[in-house]
Amino acid sequence: MIYFDNSATTKIDPAVLATYNQVAQNIWGNPSSLHKMGDRAFQLLESSRKQIANLLGTKQDEIFFTSGGTESNNTAIKGTAIQKREFGKHIITSSVEHASVANAFNALENLGYRVTRLPVDKEGRVNVNDLRNALDTDTTLVSIMGVNNEIGTIQPIEEISDLLTNYPTIQFHVDNVQALGKNIWPRVFTPRVDLSSLSAHKFHAPRGIGILYKKEGKMLSPLHDGGGQEKGLRSGTENLPAIAAMAKAVRLLLTDEAEKANREAAIKREIVAYLQDKPGIKIFSPVSTGFTPHILCFALEGIRGETLVHTLEEHDIYTSTTSACASTKTDEASTLVSMHVADQIAMSAIRLSFDETNTLAEADEFITVFDQIYRHFAKINHLGENN
Amino acid sequence: MKYTEIMVRYGELSTKGKNRKDFIGKLAGNVTKVLRDFPQIEIHPRHDRLHIVLNGASFNEIDQKLKKVFGIQTYSPTIKVEKTLQAIEETSLALMKETFKKGMTFKVNTKRSDHHFTYDTNELNSLVGDYLFENMSDLKVEMKHPDLVLRIEVRQDAIYISNQLLHGAGGMPVGTGGRAVMMLSGGIDSPVASYLALKRGVDIEMVHFFSPPYTTEKALNKAKELTGILANYAGRINFIAVPFAEIQETIKEKVPEGYLMTVQRRFMLRLADEIRNKRNELAIFNGESVGQVASQTLESMMAINDVTTTPVVRPVATMDKTEIIRLAEEIGTFDLSIKPFEDCCTIFAPPRPKTKPKVDKAREYEARLDVAGLIERALAGIKVTAIYPNDKFLADKAEEDAALL
């Protein structure tokens, strides 16, 4: 079995699961309870928060626990829009965001907010000049992802940060769900970033738990009202076993981070070396410092991505069309469409996404299997005959 | 640098006359106590200095503990070498290379008690100075106020070389000032007052009032943990927990609201005094600061102090809150002190306490109570715990958490 769909979700690490189990069984008090058991749970909650803060380079008070990337994104975006509505109702994002960002903006647009969606270039990257031109005195929020989930483009967060330094009242949110542990953190999490989202199941921790980073002093309206947990920003009894497991997973993830990222890069490099120059194959995630090492998106002209995914599945190889979240819908990949890739080709795209447990041997096996598939389809589609 | 011994210089000794011996004995005992984790060291108290022979123990680890021992004015990590010029020169060079930073000035200062040694002090000063100049650039000599003084002591048994003069905690060795009880709440002031009492050589025992179920175990443990921090300065401190709930309930029931606080404080002072008396101690210390709260006006102090003629010493009486906080931060009690657990001073605090209570009124209301019985029962319930440096009492599961995470 080869699992190349790690951007959709990763396999939970047994050591992380062990932490989950131990906490669920032994430290099950409610962190808000006054008695000893509550106290114990509260202490572990704060130890987890502290560990994550130290590893991410933030203050402990800046880490908030949510149910995952979607909630973190929604809280950051809607929370800002509502909090700052008296100061302006113009909000900016890119045209290649994850659905949880894109649809949050759609929802706000329906409520009367003015939304600017920045275009992207041929590599799926936002242009800072476009952002500069879009800013006005009504702008309260800019939300740009750190790493694109469909093709792996690293967005120019550093340049955007430089630009936004002159606009201190605009809250800058970066969806970093795809960006942690890939040895690029300082590029996508600058000191100017006010809000950032992470999701635990993308790094071998349980699903249903995530992080919202909120810089000290920044204000957000909470989306959940309730018992006032997480300093009122996210009410609801804390999911302590998952939080502790996530804290452990962050530590494991960031241990030997560079080496792990290099391993993923080597796999990507090997597969790209095979794919490039093949007639009918179009690579959207080149080997480049502008792209994350763990995502490789390409299309085989004339074959729907879905078909390719299922064909690979027959060989026990698991991949996805460009985004698992969008794959059940009939419309094409949104990032590729925003890049003005022809519909025919966009519909043919598939995404391979690696993690540090994947090996070069798996890359070789993938190439062997894919080569058979490619030859078969190339024959049917007369690929290469016109060249 | 591998230091072989530490030379410790005493503080405030010139005024001690015949008590000098007692002072040195106590200091040596206290040093022995705080360094009990280093079995290989030897401690030699002499009339002018105390020598700690390291026998391989780490100076840096010992330094951390030694700098909290009161009665030490200064100390120097020292290297013992054989009595040859070559050994002096090589060790001096190594020491200087480690501590010298560009732009510093230095001088060599030799003392010689072995007058048969080949070179006299002037010769040694210039020989070693020349040797250092030959082997190090950027050196500059300054006789009056050098940044570094390279001290070479020629004694009978060996030669001792040092170039650092570190400041000790000052004060008097704990125990030379007699024994007393300290009324420790859990707030910011009383730990600072404890520190100041210890600094003057007073050996204190903590008296802490607790009132379950009005106060939690956490509040009690917080006071114990504060004592653990202060024990760094004393080696060990006894913690005496006094149950106070029955007294508070009785007062609440029978005394008019305006005098609740005054009468409670009178009981606390009485209990502290009884404990002091039973334990053969000479004074009561507390963390009162003039004008800080209603119980700490001079009128209040008068009305409360009425129950005893024992000296009540208030080390922080005239300090500003900001000064007290600064000192609390310095000695490491502040972060713990501000943890918000209910203590017995706040649970039955009246909304409008009298800031100018009258002594005779306090006496009159108290006459309605079975003072002797209440005191007796509280004393019967006291618990004494010996607390050592950095003992932990608040559920600190950091290690368990680290294993999980």
Side-chain angles (χ1 to χ4, degrees), chain B residues 90-363:
Chain B
E90 282 171 2
T91 304
S92 300
L93 182 63
L95 260 183
M96 286 298 289
K97 276 192 169 162
E98 184 160 300
T99 40
F100 183 81
K101 293 196 182 62
K102 213 176 161 182
M104 281 182 163
T105 56
F106 90 110
K107 76 168 176 181
V108 184
N109 182 351
T110 304
K111 277 186 186 162
R112 202 173 66 145
S113 55
D114 171 14
H115 295 284
H116 300 294
F117 189 61
T118 328
Y119 309 95
D120 69 18
T121 53
N122 287 333
E123 282 171 334
L124 269 178
N125 283 346
S126 65
L127 280 169
V128 175
D130 288 348
Y131 182 82
L132 292 175
F133 275 117
E134 277 167 31
N135 289 285
M136 283 176 80
S137 49
D138 303 331
L139 281 184
K140 220 178 121 195
V141 172
E142 162 71 55
M143 284 303 150
K144 279 199 174 149
H145 300 289
D147 300 307
L148 287 175
V149 179
L150 180 72
R151 289 185 172 77
I152 300 171
E153 293 199 23
V154 182
R155 287 189 232 145
Q156 298 299 336
D157 63 325
I159 290 169
Y160 293 81
I161 303 175
S162 67
N163 75 343
Q164 284 185 81
L165 191 68
L166 303 169
H167 289 277
M172 304 286 294
V174 174
T176 56
R179 305 198 316 131
V181 293
M182 171 80 219
M183 298 169 75
L184 182 83
S185 61
I188 298 166
D189 302 347
S190 55
V192 171
S194 305
Y195 164 83
L196 293 170
L198 291 165
K199 190 170 183 183
R200 290 315 299 163
V202 179
D203 192 4
I204 51 173
E205 295 193 309
M206 303 302 192
V207 170
H208 177 78
F209 300 96
F210 74 114
S211 305
Y214 303 103
T215 62
T216 62
E217 205 180 331
K218 272 194 216 166
L220 181 67
N221 287 336
K222 169 179 155 185
K224 284 187 178 173
E225 196 153 313
L226 282 167
T227 304
I229 295 173
L230 292 159
N232 279 300
Y233 299 94
R236 172 196 137 135
I237 296 176
N238 283 333
F239 183 89
I240 304 171
V242 187
F244 201 56
E246 189 200 350
I247 293 175
Q248 286 188 300
E249 284 176 336
T250 311
I251 294 170
K252 175 92 164 95
E253 191 187 330
K254 300 195 170 147
V255 174
E257 196 180 88
Y259 277 80
L260 281 182
M261 188 264 312
T262 308
V263 175
Q264 282 181 51
R265 299 280 164 169
R266 285 165 62 95
F267 268 90
M268 286 181 182
L269 192 57
R270 265 196 199 96
L271 283 164
D273 203 26
E274 290 287 341
I275 292 166
R276 176 207 62 75
N277 186 38
K278 283 196 171 140
R279 301 176 75 86
N280 291 319
E281 292 166 346
L282 300 168
I284 298 166
F285 280 66
N286 67 27
E288 286 176 344
S289 178
V290 176
Q292 208 183 95
V293 292
S295 62
Q296 298 176 15
T297 61
L298 291 180
E299 290 85 352
S300 255
M301 285 185 196
M302 186 90 182
I304 295 163
N305 219 145
D306 172 53
V307 301
T308 178
T309 54
T310 302
V312 177
V313 185
R314 300 169 172 90
V316 300
T318 61
M319 285 168 79
D320 286 351
K321 194 75 187 179
T322 50
E323 294 171 314
I324 299 174
I325 287 172
R326 205 179 309 134
L327 202 44
E329 284 171 337
E330 216 172 279
I331 63 175
T333 55
F334 183 74
D335 289 343
L336 192 49
S337 286
I338 58 172
K339 289 206 170 172
F341 307 137
E342 286 282 1
D343 67 40
C344 69
C345 301
T346 54
I347 54 166
F348 289 123
R352 286 172 303 278
K354 287 251 185 294
T355 54
K356 295 180 179 177
K358 303 269 185 301
V359 178
D360 47 356
K361 284 263 184 200
R363 286 182 184 166

